[in-house]
Amino acid sequence: MVASIAEIVVNAPLLRSFHYSVPGDLGTDLRRGHRVLVPFGHRTATGVCVGFPAESEVPELKPIKSILHPECRFDEHLLELTRWISSYYRVSWGEILEAALPPAIRSGKAKERKLREVIALGSPGELLEEAGRIERRAAAQARILRKLAEDGPGDRVIERSRLLKEARARAASLDRQKEQGWLEEKTRVKRLDPYESETANLPPRQEPVLNPAQAAAVEALESSLDSAEFKTWLLYGVSGSGKTEVYLRALRRVLDKGGRGLVLVPEIALTPQTVLRFKQALPGRQVAILHSMLSPNERTSQWRNIQEGKADLIIGARSAIFAPIPDLGLIVVDEEHEPSYKQDTSPRYHARDVAVMRGKLLDVNVILGSATPSLESLHNAREGKYGLLELPERATTHGLPRVYVVQLDGSFYRSDGSGLISRELDRMVRKELERGAQSILYLNRRGFTNNIQCSECGYVLSCDECDVSLTYHRGDNLLRCHYCDLKEMVPSSCPDCRSKQLRHSGVGTEKVVAEISRRFPDARVLRLDRDTVRNHRLLRQALGAFSRGEYDILVGTQMVAKGHDFPGVNLVGILLADTGLHFPDFRAAERTWQLVTQVVGRAGRGDERGLAIIQTFSPDHYAIESAAKGEAEEFFRRELEYRRTLGYPPFGRLVKILLSGKVEEKVREEAARIGEILRQAASADGSGGARDSGDLSELKKTWAGALASRPRILGPAPAPLNRLQGKFRIQILIKSPTSAVNQRLLERVEDRLKPRRGVDLSIDVDPQSML
C-alpha cells in the first residue's frame, strides 16, 4: 500500500515532527530515512522522513516537494540512534540528522571525479599477436595493444588518458580497437584517498609480543567479541603501555569474522599517525578517514566508500560516530576523557556517550581507552557498569619518565621572554641537543603575548565583541580574538589616552619559539598550533618531518599533548602547568591532571627512559603533585571526595541553560523568568511520593528521600565569559542526582522556556565546560 502521509523532522531547532502529504509521483519511492525538501512556513527546508502515519489531525497537508539524493538514505539503526540523541540531549532530531551528513552532501555540492578506463578483452599473448599483425599499417593501434598487454596479469585495466599518453596515440586509434573487439571502455567514480601517497608502500610490520597485561586484556576482549553481546570496556593504561596494540588485536578479530570497526580519535592531529599504524598492522584492509580538515570532495568520497561497504575500518574525529557503517562489530574511543568529544554548538552531543549507546543498540563491544580516564568512566568501571582492563606498566622495559617540578616566580613573565625557560629546563634542553635527541616544549597558549596594556592609564586592548583581551600575533603583526576571530592592526598609541607606552604581557607559543631560537640559535625548531597548521596536509607534513628527525625541538599547544608516539623524544618540558588550573570550572583540576600526565607521557617512548620538567606556580596543588609523582589513585581519591560532597558528576548530573543576547537587560529579565519557572517545577519534583502512614519517622525518611531526589536550580548568574561575539551571557545550572530527574524536569517545562525575541537559549545536557 502506498503511503499518503509522511512524518518529517525538519532541519530547524524544534523538538517535534510535522506531517506532509506524499505526492503520487513520490509514493512508490519514498522510504523512512530519505532526506526530502518540504515547504516550511514561508521558506523551503530540508528534512528526513521518519514514518508514515495512517492519519493526521491537520486537515490540509502541504505536499513534499522532492526526495534529495535517494542513495543517501539513513538506515533504521541511525534513525534510532539519532532519535535517542534528540531525546536525551534535548536537541532537534532534524538538526542531528543534518549534522550526520558530510557538508558537501548537505549542500548538494558534492562532486566526485569520474575516470574513463580501458579494459583489455584478450589475453596478453593475444594482444601482442594482434599488435604484431597490424603494426605496419596501424602503429598507434599496435602500441595501444602492447601497452595493455604489458600492464601485467589480471584485469589489465588502465586509465584512458594515461593509455593514450604512454602509447602516443589519438582517440581515433582507441576507438578503432574498440570496434575490432579488443578492448572496451567503462566510466567509474574515482574515490579520493587523502593518505594514499603516505600509505602506498608501507613496510611490513613486525608483530610485537604482548606483555602479560596486554595479553590478558586481549583475551578478555576476544571472549567478549565472540559472545556477540553488548559490553563497554574501559581500557585504562599508562602512557606507552600499548593500548593501541590491544585495539588492533580486537579489531583484527572483528574484521576476520566479517565485521567492521570504528575508531574515534579526539584530535585531528592524531589521525595521520593512527591511520599509518592501523594500515600497516592490517594489510589488505580498506581504511576510511573522516574529519573536518579533509576537503569537501575527499570527505564525500570517504563517506560514500563507508556507506557502500568498501571500508573495513573507519578512523575519524567526533562526527565519525554517525558514519553509515554496515556490519559494525566494534567501536573504539581513544583518549575517551577528551572534552573535544563534546560538540559545543548545536546540536550538542557527546560522541563518547553516543558511541556507548550505538554499541548498545547494535549489541557490539565498545572500548574506551585512556591513560587518564574521565572520572565518569572510571566510576562506571569501578561500579561494574563497564568492564575494566588495566595496563599498569609501559610496554618498554625502562618505565615511565623521571619527573622534576620547578616552582616559577615573577620572572617567568618578563616582557623579553627571558624567564620562560628555567635554569633546569635550559640545562636539559642543551644536553639533549648536544647528544642529538629531540625535545617537546608545551604551552597551551597561542600567539606571542596574551595582552597589550597601556602603562599610563592601564587600558587593555580588548575585543569589542567579547570580554577577553586581544592576543598579539607577531608573525602577522595583528591582534586577534581567539573566540570570535576578530583581527585588528596593532595601534601605535593607547586608544584611550594616546600614550605611546604600550606594554606587552603574557606568553604564547610564538614567544616561546623566539626565546628558544635566541638561546639555541643552531636548533631546528618546529611550532605546532592552529595558527601554523590549518589543513590536514600541513599537519601531516609537520608531524612527519618531526618524526623523521628533521627538527630538534617541537613547541606546541594541545595538538602535541596526547596520543603522539615520537621515539626520538627523550625530554618534555611543560612551560606553565597552571594555565587552566584556576578556571571557574569544577573540572579544572581534572583537566590539569590529565593534561600534565599526557604531556609527560610523550617522553621516553624509544630506547631510553624519558625525562619531564614541569614548571608551575602551584607545585603543591594535588592535581600537579599527583601528575608529577604518578600517583593517579591519590588524585582520584581527592577529586572524587570533592565531587561527592558537592554533588558533581559522577555523583550527580548537570544541565546548563545559557541565555544570550545583545541587550543585557533583556537577557537578565528572561534569565530571571526562566529561572523562576525551573525553580517552581523543581520544587514540585519528587514530592509526590510522601504519604501519611501514621509513622512520623517513616514520613520524615520519605520526605528526605524526595528532597534528595529533587533537582537544584543554581542561578541565574553571569557566565564566566560574560560576553562573547557581541552577546551578553547568563547561565542557569540544573543539578540532579540522575539524568532521569533532569529529563523529567525539562520535559515538563520545555514549552515555557522559549525566550522572547532578541534572546537566544541553549540547553547543554552533561556540559563539559562551565565557561
Side-chain angles (χ1 to χ4, degrees):
M1 182 178 175
V2 177
S4 60
I5 301 172
E7 183 181 3
I8 307 295
V9 289
V10 178
N11 178 27
L14 300 166
L15 291 174
R16 54 161 296 191
S17 59
F18 297 87
H19 290 173
Y20 287 86
S21 66
V22 182
D25 59 333
L26 298 182
T28 56
D29 298 324
L30 184 64
R31 298 285 183 273
R32 257 174 61 90
H34 269 142
R35 193 161 172 257
V36 295
L37 204 60
V38 294
F40 192 69
H42 299 294
R43 64 185 178 91
T44 300
T46 57
V48 175
C49 175
V50 296
F52 297 99
E55 56 186 26
S56 175
E57 296 177 356
V58 182
E60 292 187 19
L61 297 175
K62 295 179 180 180
I64 295 171
K65 287 180 174 289
S66 63
I67 300 174
L68 299 172
H69 36 74
E71 74 281 1
C72 294
R73 185 165 71 96
F74 290 99
D75 63 22
E76 291 297 322
H77 162 64
L78 283 176
L79 287 175
E80 188 178 9
L81 178 68
T82 51
R83 184 171 189 168
W84 174 83
I85 294 171
S86 171
S87 173
Y88 182 80
Y89 290 102
R90 314 311 298 169
V91 295
S92 159
W93 192 5
E95 286 186 331
I96 281 285
L97 286 165
E98 192 78 2
L101 292 171
I105 290 180
R106 291 202 300 261
S107 64
K109 296 178 180 178
K111 294 179 181 178
E112 293 193 286
R113 183 183 170 196
K114 293 185 177 180
L115 290 182
R116 293 176 67 183
E117 294 180 328
V118 178
I119 305 167
L121 299 179
S123 68
E126 291 171 334
L127 293 171
L128 291 172
E129 183 180 346
E130 176 64 11
R133 191 180 69 80
I134 65 172
E135 189 163 19
R136 288 192 176 184
R137 60 181 173 82
Q141 293 177 43
R143 288 196 296 272
I144 288 173
L145 295 178
R146 279 204 171 89
K147 182 61 187 171
L148 285 167
E150 292 166 3
D151 212 41
D155 294 335
R156 292 181 301 288
V157 178
I158 188 168
E159 190 177 345
R160 185 178 190 272
S161 58
R162 180 185 146 210
L163 175 61
L164 291 173
K165 181 179 179 180
E166 295 183 1
R168 305 188 310 281
R170 294 181 181 275
S173 300
L174 192 68
D175 293 338
R176 179 62 179 159
Q177 286 304 304
K178 282 166 55 180
E179 292 170 6
Q180 295 294 319
W182 287 105
L183 53 89
E184 66 179 7
E185 281 191 58
K186 286 187 177 179
T187 300
R188 71 173 179 88
V189 173
K190 165 75 172 173
R191 293 284 162 77
L192 302 176
D193 181 354
Y195 293 87
E196 186 174 14
S197 59
E198 289 97 326
T199 59
N201 297 300
L202 286 173
R205 185 181 90 125
Q206 185 175 357
E207 195 83 352
V209 177
L210 301 180
N211 62 33
Q214 287 176 306
V218 170
E219 183 180 358
L221 286 169
E222 288 181 342
S223 174
S224 183
L225 290 166
D226 291 343
S227 72
E229 294 179 354
F230 164 67
K231 188 173 181 66
T232 301
W233 297 90
L234 175 62
L235 180 60
Y236 173 24
V238 299
S239 62
S241 59
K243 292 184 290 295
T244 301
E245 190 60 36
V246 175
Y247 301 156
L248 282 166
R249 302 292 175 102
L251 285 163
R252 188 180 294 159
R253 185 78 158 207
V254 169
L255 299 180
D256 288 345
K257 294 172 68 176
R260 293 182 171 85
L262 170 63
V263 177
L264 297 183
V265 293
E267 283 276 347
I268 293 167
L270 294 178
T271 312
Q273 179 176 275
T274 306
V275 170
L276 294 178
R277 290 183 69 178
F278 278 65
K279 279 198 171 189
Q280 189 177 35
L282 302 169
R285 300 293 186 176
Q286 296 302 309
V287 179
I289 301 99
L290 284 177
H291 60 70
S292 60
M293 273 194 179
L294 298 178
S295 71
N297 288 343
E298 286 174 334
R299 203 165 169 184
T300 299
S301 284
Q302 296 290 293
W303 190 88
R304 290 195 188 278
N305 275 344
I306 296 165
Q307 184 194 40
E308 294 169 9
K310 295 177 180 176
D312 303 304
L313 176 64
I314 294 85
I315 299 172
R318 180 178 57 224
S319 62
I321 190 59
F322 299 117
I325 309 168
D327 304 314
L328 180 59
L330 175 64
I331 304 173
V332 175
V333 183
D334 193 27
E335 309 290 357
E336 64 83 26
H337 64 279
E338 276 296 319
S340 57
Y341 281 124
K342 181 68 184 282
Q343 170 92 0
D344 58 4
T345 57
S346 187
R348 293 171 176 82
Y349 64 91
H350 199 304
R352 177 198 62 206
D353 299 340
V354 174
V356 172
M357 178 53 68
R358 188 166 188 180
K360 183 178 181 180
L361 293 175
L362 290 174
D363 268 336
V364 303
N365 276 230
V366 180
I367 304 173
L368 311 179
S370 179
T372 53
S374 65
L375 292 185
E376 290 90 337
S377 293
L378 185 74
H379 182 72
N380 283 336
R382 291 183 172 177
E383 291 292 308
K385 187 175 179 181
Y386 296 167
L388 179 61
L389 304 169
E390 296 187 82
L391 306 178
E393 297 178 353
R394 279 198 157 179
T396 55
T397 57
H398 45 69
L400 291 166
R402 298 182 302 275
V403 181
Y404 298 94
V405 177
V406 176
Q407 181 160 9
L408 295 173
D409 56 30
S411 64
F412 179 79
Y413 286 112
R414 287 176 189 155
S415 59
D416 63 356
S418 60
L420 290 173
I421 310 295
S422 62
R423 284 195 303 270
E424 293 86 349
L425 183 54
D426 179 284
R427 185 172 65 252
M428 294 313 303
V429 171
R430 203 171 296 278
K431 182 179 177 181
E432 296 302 301
L433 288 171
E434 288 171 356
R435 67 192 198 93
Q438 293 176 300
S439 304
I440 292 177
L441 300 181
Y442 167 80
L443 177 68
N444 199 30
R445 285 179 180 168
R446 291 185 287 149
F448 193 80
T449 53
N450 298 123
N451 61 71
I452 298 179
Q453 185 174 26
C454 176
S455 299
E456 295 290 332
C457 71
Y459 179 85
V460 176
L461 296 175
S462 301
C463 177
D464 293 333
E465 300 293 313
C466 309
D467 273 347
V468 295
S469 59
L470 293 170
T471 299
Y472 173 53
H473 289 254
R474 192 168 71 168
D476 301 324
N477 196 30
L478 286 174
L479 294 170
R480 291 176 60 182
C481 173
H482 288 169
Y483 288 92
C484 70
D485 206 31
L486 173 82
K487 299 180 181 70
E488 289 186 0
M489 299 298 293
V490 181
S492 58
S493 61
C494 173
D496 198 41
C497 73
R498 301 302 173 192
S499 168
K500 300 285 186 182
Q501 302 300 312
L502 296 177
R503 181 169 58 88
H504 289 245
S505 303
V507 297
T509 48
E510 262 191 297
K511 195 170 192 175
V512 174
V513 169
E515 176 61 12
I516 289 294
S517 299
R518 183 188 70 81
R519 288 176 182 244
F520 313 108
D522 296 328
R524 300 166 298 170
V525 183
L526 174 66
R527 184 174 129 229
L528 192 66
D529 57 36
R530 298 216 176 265
D531 296 325
T532 61
V533 178
R534 299 184 181 180
N535 62 58
H536 73 96
R537 288 182 178 82
L538 290 174
L539 174 63
R540 281 165 23 213
Q541 289 169 10
L543 293 173
F546 189 69
S547 294
R548 292 189 297 270
E550 295 173 18
Y551 291 91
D552 304 308
I553 300 173
L554 174 60
V555 176
T557 56
Q558 284 194 61
M559 295 179 83
V560 307
K562 49 226 170 194
H564 296 296
D565 192 348
F566 299 121
V569 172
N570 194 56
L571 171 67
V572 164
I574 300 175
L575 301 189
L576 183 60
D578 316 63
T579 309
L581 183 58
H582 304 296
F583 278 3
D585 190 319
F586 74 92
R587 286 193 175 91
E590 181 185 10
R591 296 268 162 78
T592 298
W593 172 76
Q594 288 168 340
L595 206 48
V596 172
T597 303
Q598 290 281 346
V599 178
V600 166
R602 298 316 102 205
R605 288 172 167 256
D607 298 328
E608 301 178 38
R609 188 180 182 190
L611 173 67
I613 294 180
I614 302 172
Q615 298 184 168
T616 175
F617 287 100
S618 310
D620 298 327
H621 192 285
Y622 66 93
I624 291 174
E625 192 172 50
S626 299
K629 292 180 178 179
E631 296 176 348
E633 287 303 321
E634 175 61 14
F635 173 77
F636 293 146
R637 184 189 68 78
R638 295 189 62 169
E639 187 67 11
L640 286 170
E641 183 180 330
Y642 153 68
R643 300 278 186 94
R644 191 191 302 272
T645 301
L646 296 178
Y648 282 121
F651 304 106
R653 305 304 281 267
L654 303 178
V655 175
K656 183 174 74 173
I657 296 179
L658 179 69
L659 295 105
S660 60
K662 292 187 177 295
V663 181
E664 187 174 14
E665 191 57 34
K666 276 187 180 181
V667 179
R668 283 180 178 169
E669 289 173 1
E670 281 304 286
R673 181 184 70 83
I674 288 172
E676 187 56 33
I677 290 171
L678 290 168
R679 233 179 292 280
Q680 289 178 4
S683 66
D685 194 9
S687 60
R691 295 184 180 179
D692 188 356
S693 63
D695 187 330
L696 186 59
S697 63
E698 285 299 314
L699 187 62
K700 285 181 178 179
K701 287 179 183 178
T702 303
W703 274 104
L707 289 171
S709 67
R710 284 182 182 174
R712 292 183 60 201
I713 310 301
L714 307 179
L721 290 172
N722 187 230
R723 193 164 65 102
L724 279 181
Q725 299 178 358
K727 292 184 176 182
F728 294 92
R729 306 163 77 244
I730 294 178
Q731 61 189 31
I732 302 167
L733 199 64
I734 305 173
K735 184 192 290 187
S736 301
T738 67
S739 59
V741 173
N742 284 337
Q743 292 291 320
R744 284 200 306 269
L745 175 64
L746 290 173
E747 288 170 4
R748 196 158 58 241
V749 303
E750 217 145 28
D751 290 342
R752 291 180 284 159
L753 295 187
K754 186 177 180 180
R756 63 174 172 165
R757 185 183 293 273
V759 178
D760 299 323
L761 179 144
S762 66
I763 297 175
D764 190 357
V765 177
D766 299 336
Q768 293 297 299
S769 171
M770 295 291 106
L771 301 183

